[in-house]
Amino acid sequence: MQNELVSEIYETLLGKIGHLQWWPADTPFEVVVGTILTQQTKWTNVEKAIEALKMSDLIEPDKLADADVEHIEELVRCCGFYRQKARRLKDIAGFFATKGMDNIFSLPTEELRKLMLSLKGVGNETADSIVLYAADKPKFVIDAYTTRIMKCIEIEGNYMQLQSIFEAGLPSDVPLYKEYHALIVEYAKNYCGKKQCEDCALMYRFRNKEVNNG
């Protein structure tokens, strides 16, 4: 039943929004930087910070690792928690510069995920975003929007429980996982974020299904 639900949600979102090309980044390391900066802030702020890092030629692991943390702080100040994020960016850049991005991203999916989770400041969502969008490996990303949408259609669980539902209901396909997560984010920003529940296609579809099945 949940497998069918996962597919129906995807079809509904795709029909409402259409195909998206996301995560917006020029390189895998830019994705990594974005996953750190996007914590507890809007993506528009992340874009400003990444542009500032690019202007300072600090969007490569070795260069960012060697930069003064105070300089990084100024460049990412717009993202909030900038001191913490600057330190984490410098640390993770050093990790990738030392270990080598190709070596790290060649690891099997679960091993890579475990390695990312061992880094300071990297939780489930950040780790899975790196695995999926930077390393191109199949891990479905669960964020606050996904949790909210699922709760609205009366499916609740922790991060790992919800991830298992999506991964069990979908082919293990990187482009599909990327598209699906992007659709959830875009849809939720326009409806959940603006509290337009009465116009929600998901609520309409699944409420009607409950009524018809009842």
Side-chain angles (χ1 to χ4, degrees), residues 1-6 9 142 145-158 161-166 206 210:
M1 186 67 176
Q2 287 183 340
N3 288 1
E4 293 179 6
L5 180 66
V6 168
I9 293 172
I142 303 295
Y145 288 138
T146 311
T147 302
R148 184 185 300 182
I149 283 175
M150 295 301 280
K151 185 176 181 179
C152 284
I153 57 177
E154 300 183 350
I155 295 179
E156 297 187 54
N158 61 30
Q161 288 169 333
L162 291 177
Q163 185 179 67
S164 294
I165 290 172
F166 279 91
F206 294 106
E210 289 174 5

Side-chain angles (χ1 to χ4, degrees), residues 176-200:
L176 175 60
Y177 283 10
K178 289 181 178 181
E179 181 89 280
Y180 203 151
H181 178 241
L183 287 169
I184 288 174
V185 171
E186 186 65 23
Y187 185 83
K189 283 194 302 185
N190 288 302
Y191 289 90
C192 304
K194 298 175 183 177
K195 297 182 179 179
Q196 294 184 346
C197 299
E198 68 280 359
D199 296 323
C200 177

Side-chain angles (χ1 to χ4, degrees), residues 75-107:
L75 297 175
V76 305
R77 182 183 288 267
C78 58
C79 289
F81 301 97
Y82 62 93
R83 289 193 176 91
Q84 183 183 73
K85 290 180 180 180
R87 183 74 259 173
R88 288 177 179 173
L89 283 176
K90 186 174 173 66
D91 288 346
I92 202 169
F95 175 80
F96 277 100
T98 301
K99 301 292 185 181
M101 292 198 67
D102 290 342
N103 292 332
I104 293 170
F105 287 160
S106 67
L107 293 171

Side-chain angles (χ1 to χ4, degrees), residues 22-23 25 27-39 43 61 88-89 91-93 95-96 100-142 159 163 174 177-178 181:
W22 206 73
W23 192 292
T27 65
F29 186 66
E30 185 179 328
V31 174
V32 174
V33 171
T35 65
I36 301 298
L37 292 176
T38 197
Q39 296 171 3
W43 184 255
R88 288 177 179 173
L89 283 176
D91 288 346
I92 202 169
F95 175 80
F96 277 100
M101 292 198 67
D102 290 342
N103 292 332
I104 293 170
F105 287 160
S106 67
L107 293 171
T109 302
E110 293 302 331
E111 190 175 340
L112 174 59
R113 185 180 197 274
K114 185 177 180 180
L115 180 61
M116 292 299 98
L117 286 171
S118 72
L119 303 176
K120 187 174 182 179
V122 176
N124 284 318
E125 183 182 343
T126 301
D128 289 334
S129 294
I130 293 172
V131 171
L132 178 62
Y133 289 102
D136 285 324
K137 295 182 183 292
K139 288 305 294 181
F140 197 90
V141 179
I142 303 295
Y159 188 99
Q163 185 179 67
V174 170
Y177 283 10
K178 289 181 178 181
H181 178 241

